[in-house]
């Protein structure tokens, strides 16, 4: 969730990670928080959960009350629900519309689910988030064209992405990025579509952010 804004230029409220006990539980154990279904419901309500949202409950065992409570509450609100666990026939999968059960077998250290289960679940979450961003038009081929250039490393990556997508010379790339406020997708459209910055922004807005559709419209 924290990587989505800089990588795919999502709003901070678009992909949100919740953990039982809140952000402090990331660094300090909050005992008992994961046993509360009510806490999950309250955390989702605080985010103004709506039917248009999707909630992914994550639990290695598939029986954690916080995760089950989250998908139950979300499902009651009409939201799409997914239950991700590492045991077959889990309560979490049963509570969700779509269960994803990655059965990894016994842990190397009994009960230490941060190992096999945690690693497997991270891979699944990577797939879910990446495929979602592709469907939302955040990519162009294998390029992350919605990257937000918030530091020098990402600014250099932005220039490389525009170069790979267009084959343009450095000067043209710099001019296009300057004309579009550093927006990679817009800069590519300026170069390949032969339009100015405001026109690129308009075409992308009209195409729902999909670069290929905007390029097609620019050449119509």
């Amino acid at each position: 969730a924290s990587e989505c804004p800089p990588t795919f230029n999502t709003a901070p409220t678009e992909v949100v990670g919740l953990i039982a006990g809140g952000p402090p539980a990331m660094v300090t154990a909050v005992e008992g928080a994961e046993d509360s279904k009510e806490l999950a419901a309250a955390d989702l309500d605080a985010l103004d959960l709506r039917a248009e949202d999707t909630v992914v409950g994550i639990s290695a065992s598939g029986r954690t009350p916080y995760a089950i409570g989250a998908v139950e509450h979300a499902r009651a609100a009409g939201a799409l629900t997914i239950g991700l666990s590492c045991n077959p026939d889990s309560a979490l999968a049963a509570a969700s519309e779509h269960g994803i059960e990655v059965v990894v077998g016994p842990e190397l250290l009994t009960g230490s689910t941060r190992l096999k289960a945690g690693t497997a679940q991270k891979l699944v979450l990577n797939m879910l988030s990446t495929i979602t961003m592709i469907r939302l038009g955040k990519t162009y081929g294998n390029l992350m064209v919605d990257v937000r250039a918030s530091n020098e490393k990402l600014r250099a990556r932005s220039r490389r992405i525009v170069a790979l997508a267009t084959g343009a010379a450095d000067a043209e790339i710099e001019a296009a990025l300057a004309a579009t406020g550093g927006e990679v997708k817009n800069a590519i459209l300026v170069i390949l579509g032969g339009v100015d910055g405001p026109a690129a922004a308009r075409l992308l807005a009209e195409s729902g952010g999909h670069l290929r559709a905007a390029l097609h419209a620019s050449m119509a």
Side-chain angles (χ1 to χ4, degrees):
S2 64
E3 291 169 352
C4 283
T7 305
F8 297 109
N9 205 11
T10 61
T13 56
E14 193 168 355
V15 184
V16 181
L18 292 177
I19 184 171
M26 290 290 291
V27 293
T28 304
V30 180
E31 298 299 336
E34 67 177 20
D35 295 332
S36 173
K37 288 187 176 184
E38 293 73 23
L39 180 59
D43 286 346
L44 287 173
D45 285 340
L47 294 175
D48 191 24
L49 176 73
R50 300 184 180 185
E52 296 81 9
D53 295 321
T54 297
V55 172
V56 182
I58 308 164
S59 165
S61 67
R63 57 176 180 271
T64 306
Y66 184 89
I68 295 171
V71 297
E72 287 177 342
H73 187 69
R75 197 166 183 178
L80 177 68
T81 56
I82 299 170
L84 174 57
S85 69
C86 291
N87 278 328
D89 305 317
S90 68
L92 179 59
S96 309
E97 288 175 80
H98 304 283
I100 301 176
E101 297 176 328
V102 187
V103 182
V104 297
E107 293 286 354
L108 175 66
L109 299 175
T110 302
S112 185
T113 53
R114 68 183 181 85
L115 299 175
K116 290 165 67 175
T119 301
Q121 289 185 322
K122 179 62 165 63
L123 293 173
V124 172
L125 294 172
N126 283 348
M127 287 184 268
L128 288 176
S129 59
T130 301
I131 293 169
T132 297
M133 295 304 159
I134 290 171
R135 295 292 300 274
L136 289 173
K138 301 288 188 178
T139 61
Y140 180 69
N142 67 336
L143 300 175
M144 298 186 299
V145 291
D146 248 342
V147 63
R148 180 180 298 167
S150 55
N151 58 36
E152 185 51 44
K153 180 186 76 172
L154 292 176
R155 281 188 285 273
R157 181 181 295 173
S158 296
R159 292 190 289 271
R160 287 196 301 272
I161 291 171
V162 177
L164 287 168
T166 66
D170 290 346
E172 188 177 6
I173 291 170
E174 292 294 347
L177 285 168
T180 58
E183 294 288 343
V184 171
K185 189 186 292 183
N186 301 48
I188 293 171
L189 184 55
V190 164
I191 295 171
L192 295 182
V195 298
D196 59 17
R202 176 181 57 79
L203 287 167
L204 283 165
E206 291 173 352
S207 68
H210 289 260
L211 179 55
R212 290 188 187 280
L215 278 169
H216 181 76
S218 72
M219 299 172 184

Coordinates of all heavy atoms in Angstrom, one line a residue, residues 4-51:
C4 N 2.4 2.1 -3.5 CA 1.5 2.4 -4.7 C 1.5 3.9 -5.0 O 1.6 4.2 -6.2 CB 0.1 1.9 -4.4 SG -0.1 0.2 -4.6
P5 N 1.5 4.9 -4.1 CA 1.6 6.3 -4.5 C 2.8 6.6 -5.4 O 2.7 7.2 -6.4 CB 1.5 7.0 -3.2 CG 0.7 6.1 -2.3 CD 1.2 4.8 -2.7
P6 N 4.0 6.3 -4.9 CA 5.2 6.7 -5.7 C 5.3 5.9 -7.0 O 5.8 6.3 -8.0 CB 6.4 6.5 -4.8 CG 5.9 5.5 -3.8 CD 4.5 5.7 -3.6
T7 N 4.9 4.6 -6.9 CA 5.1 3.7 -8.1 C 4.0 3.9 -9.1 O 4.3 3.9 -10.3 CB 5.1 2.2 -7.6 OG1 6.1 2.1 -6.6 CG2 5.4 1.3 -8.8
F8 N 2.8 4.1 -8.7 CA 1.7 4.2 -9.7 C 0.9 5.5 -9.6 O -0.2 5.6 -10.2 CB 0.7 3.0 -9.4 CG 1.4 1.6 -9.7 CD1 1.6 0.8 -8.7 CD2 1.7 1.2 -11.0 CE1 2.2 -0.5 -8.9 CE2 2.3 0.0 -11.2 CZ 2.6 -0.9 -10.2
N9 N 1.4 6.4 -8.8 CA 0.7 7.7 -8.7 C -0.7 7.6 -8.2 O -1.6 8.4 -8.7 CB 0.8 8.5 -10.1 CG 0.7 10.0 -9.9 OD1 0.9 10.5 -8.8 ND2 0.5 10.7 -11.0
T10 N -1.0 6.7 -7.3 CA -2.3 6.6 -6.7 C -2.4 7.6 -5.6 O -1.5 8.0 -5.0 CB -2.6 5.2 -6.2 OG1 -1.6 4.9 -5.1 CG2 -2.4 4.1 -7.3
A11 N -3.7 8.0 -5.3 CA -3.9 8.8 -4.1 C -3.7 8.0 -2.8 O -3.9 6.8 -2.8 CB -5.4 9.3 -4.1
P12 N -3.2 8.6 -1.8 CA -2.9 7.9 -0.5 C -4.1 7.1 0.0 O -4.0 6.1 0.7 CB -2.5 9.0 0.4 CG -1.9 10.0 -0.4 CD -2.8 10.0 -1.7
T13 N -5.3 7.6 -0.4 CA -6.5 6.9 0.1 C -7.0 5.8 -0.8 O -8.0 5.2 -0.5 CB -7.7 8.0 0.2 OG1 -7.8 8.6 -1.0 CG2 -7.3 9.0 1.3
E14 N -6.3 5.6 -1.9 CA -6.8 4.6 -2.9 C -6.5 3.2 -2.5 O -7.3 2.2 -2.7 CB -6.2 4.9 -4.3 CG -6.9 4.2 -5.4 CD -6.6 4.8 -6.8 OE1 -5.8 5.8 -6.8 OE2 -7.0 4.2 -7.8
V15 N -5.2 2.9 -2.0 CA -4.8 1.6 -1.6 C -4.3 1.8 -0.1 O -3.3 2.4 0.1 CB -3.6 1.1 -2.4 CG1 -3.3 -0.4 -2.0 CG2 -4.0 1.1 -3.9
V16 N -5.1 1.2 0.8 CA -4.8 1.5 2.2 C -4.6 0.1 2.9 O -5.3 -0.9 2.7 CB -6.1 2.1 2.9 CG1 -5.8 2.4 4.3 CG2 -6.4 3.4 2.1
G17 N -3.5 0.1 3.7 CA -3.2 -1.1 4.5 C -3.7 -0.9 6.0 O -3.4 0.1 6.6
L18 N -4.4 -1.8 6.5 CA -4.9 -1.8 7.9 C -4.3 -3.0 8.6 O -4.2 -4.1 8.0 CB -6.4 -2.0 7.9 CG -7.3 -0.8 7.4 CD1 -8.7 -1.2 7.5 CD2 -7.0 0.5 8.2
I19 N -3.9 -2.8 9.8 CA -3.3 -3.8 10.7 C -4.0 -3.8 12.0 O -4.3 -2.7 12.5 CB -1.8 -3.7 10.8 CG1 -1.2 -4.9 11.6 CG2 -1.4 -2.4 11.4 CD1 0.3 -4.9 11.6
A20 N -4.3 -4.9 12.6 CA -5.0 -4.9 13.9 C -4.1 -4.2 14.9 O -2.9 -4.5 15.1 CB -5.2 -6.4 14.3
G21 N -4.6 -3.2 15.6 CA -3.9 -2.4 16.5 C -3.3 -1.1 16.0 O -2.8 -0.3 16.7
G22 N -3.6 -0.9 14.7 CA -3.2 0.3 14.0 C -1.7 0.4 13.7 O -0.9 -0.5 13.9
P23 N -1.2 1.5 13.1 CA 0.2 1.7 12.7 C 1.2 1.3 13.8 O 2.3 0.8 13.5 CB 0.3 3.2 12.3 CG -1.1 3.5 11.9 CD -2.0 2.7 12.8
P24 N 1.0 1.6 15.1 CA 2.0 1.2 16.1 C 2.3 -0.3 16.1 O 3.4 -0.7 16.5 CB 1.4 1.7 17.4 CG 0.5 2.8 17.0 CD -0.1 2.4 15.7
A25 N 1.3 -1.1 15.7 CA 1.5 -2.5 15.7 C 2.5 -3.0 14.7 O 2.9 -4.1 14.7 CB 0.1 -3.2 15.4
M26 N 2.9 -2.1 13.7 CA 3.9 -2.4 12.8 C 5.3 -2.6 13.5 O 6.1 -3.4 13.0 CB 4.0 -1.3 11.7 CG 2.9 -1.3 10.8 SD 2.8 -2.7 9.6 CE 4.2 -2.4 8.6
V27 N 5.5 -1.9 14.6 CA 6.8 -1.9 15.2 C 6.7 -2.5 16.7 O 7.7 -2.9 17.3 CB 7.5 -0.6 15.2 CG1 7.8 -0.2 13.8 CG2 6.6 0.5 15.9
T28 N 5.5 -2.5 17.2 CA 5.3 -3.0 18.6 C 4.1 -3.8 18.7 O 3.0 -3.4 18.2 CB 5.2 -1.8 19.6 OG1 6.3 -1.0 19.5 CG2 5.1 -2.3 21.0
A29 N 4.2 -5.0 19.2 CA 3.0 -5.9 19.2 C 1.9 -5.3 20.1 O 2.1 -4.8 21.1 CB 3.4 -7.3 19.8
V30 N 0.7 -5.4 19.5 CA -0.5 -4.9 20.3 C -1.3 -6.2 20.6 O -2.1 -6.7 19.7 CB -1.3 -3.9 19.5 CG1 -2.6 -3.5 20.3 CG2 -0.5 -2.7 19.1
E31 N -1.1 -6.7 21.7 CA -1.7 -8.0 22.1 C -3.2 -7.9 22.1 O -3.8 -7.0 22.6 CB -1.2 -8.5 23.4 CG 0.3 -8.7 23.5 CD 0.8 -9.8 22.5 OE1 0.0 -10.7 22.2 OE2 2.0 -9.7 22.1
G32 N -3.9 -8.9 21.5 CA -5.3 -9.1 21.5 C -6.1 -8.3 20.4 O -7.2 -8.6 20.2
A33 N -5.4 -7.4 19.8 CA -6.1 -6.6 18.7 C -6.6 -7.5 17.6 O -7.7 -7.3 17.1 CB -5.2 -5.5 18.2
E34 N -5.8 -8.5 17.2 CA -6.3 -9.3 16.1 C -7.4 -10.3 16.5 O -8.0 -10.9 15.6 CB -5.1 -10.2 15.6 CG -4.6 -11.2 16.5 CD -3.5 -12.1 15.9 OE1 -2.8 -11.6 15.0 OE2 -3.2 -13.2 16.5
D35 N -7.8 -10.3 17.7 CA -8.9 -11.1 18.2 C -10.3 -10.4 18.1 O -11.3 -11.0 18.5 CB -8.7 -11.6 19.6 CG -7.5 -12.5 19.8 OD1 -7.2 -13.2 18.8 OD2 -6.9 -12.5 20.8
S36 N -10.3 -9.2 17.6 CA -11.5 -8.4 17.7 C -12.1 -8.2 16.3 O -11.5 -7.5 15.4 CB -11.2 -7.0 18.3 OG -12.4 -6.2 18.2
K37 N -13.2 -8.7 16.0 CA -13.9 -8.4 14.7 C -14.5 -7.0 14.8 O -14.5 -6.3 13.7 CB -15.1 -9.4 14.6 CG -14.7 -10.8 14.2 CD -16.0 -11.6 13.9 CE -15.7 -13.0 13.5 NZ -16.9 -13.8 13.1
E38 N -14.9 -6.5 15.9 CA -15.4 -5.2 16.1 C -14.4 -4.1 15.7 O -14.7 -3.1 15.1 CB -16.0 -5.0 17.5 CG -17.2 -5.8 17.8 CD -16.8 -7.3 18.1 OE1 -15.6 -7.6 18.4 OE2 -17.7 -8.2 17.9
L39 N -13.2 -4.4 16.1 CA -12.1 -3.4 15.8 C -11.9 -3.3 14.3 O -11.7 -2.2 13.8 CB -10.8 -3.9 16.4 CG -9.6 -3.0 16.2 CD1 -9.8 -1.6 16.7 CD2 -8.3 -3.6 16.9
A40 N -12.0 -4.4 13.6 CA -11.9 -4.4 12.1 C -13.0 -3.6 11.5 O -12.8 -2.7 10.6 CB -11.9 -5.8 11.5
A41 N -14.2 -3.8 12.0 CA -15.4 -3.0 11.4 C -15.2 -1.5 11.7 O -15.5 -0.7 10.8 CB -16.6 -3.5 12.1
A42 N -14.7 -1.2 12.9 CA -14.5 0.2 13.2 C -13.4 0.9 12.3 O -13.5 2.0 11.9 CB -14.1 0.4 14.7
D43 N -12.3 0.1 12.1 CA -11.3 0.6 11.3 C -11.7 0.9 9.8 O -11.3 1.8 9.2 CB -10.1 -0.4 11.2 CG -9.3 -0.4 12.5 OD1 -9.5 0.6 13.3 OD2 -8.5 -1.3 12.8
L44 N -12.6 0.0 9.3 CA -13.1 0.2 8.0 C -14.1 1.3 7.9 O -14.1 2.1 6.9 CB -13.8 -1.1 7.5 CG -12.8 -2.3 7.1 CD1 -13.6 -3.5 6.8 CD2 -12.0 -1.9 5.9
D45 N -14.9 1.5 8.9 CA -15.9 2.6 9.0 C -15.1 3.9 9.0 O -15.6 4.9 8.4 CB -16.8 2.5 10.2 CG -17.8 1.4 10.0 OD1 -18.1 1.0 8.8 OD2 -18.4 0.9 11.0
A46 N -14.0 3.9 9.7 CA -13.2 5.2 9.7 C -12.7 5.6 8.4 O -12.3 6.8 8.2 CB -12.0 5.0 10.7
L47 N -12.6 4.6 7.5 CA -12.1 4.9 6.1 C -13.3 5.2 5.2 O -13.1 5.4 4.0 CB -11.4 3.7 5.5 CG -10.0 3.4 6.2 CD1 -9.5 2.1 5.6 CD2 -9.0 4.5 6.0
D48 N -14.5 5.3 5.7 CA -15.7 5.5 4.9 C -15.9 4.4 3.9 O -16.1 4.7 2.7 CB -15.7 6.9 4.3 CG -17.0 7.3 3.7 OD1 -18.0 6.8 4.1 OD2 -17.0 8.1 2.7
L49 N -15.9 3.2 4.3 CA -16.0 2.0 3.4 C -17.3 2.1 2.6 O -18.4 2.5 3.2 CB -16.0 0.7 4.2 CG -16.3 -0.6 3.4 CD1 -15.1 -0.9 2.6 CD2 -16.7 -1.7 4.4
R50 N -17.2 1.9 1.3 CA -18.4 1.9 0.4 C -18.5 0.7 -0.4 O -17.5 -0.1 -0.5 CB -18.3 3.2 -0.5 CG -18.2 4.5 0.3 CD -18.2 5.7 -0.6 NE -18.2 6.9 0.2 CZ -18.3 8.1 -0.3 NH1 -18.4 8.3 -1.6 NH2 -18.2 9.2 0.5
A51 N -19.6 0.5 -1.1 CA -19.8 -0.7 -1.9 C -18.8 -0.7 -3.1 O -18.6 -1.8 -3.6 CB -21.3 -0.7 -2.4

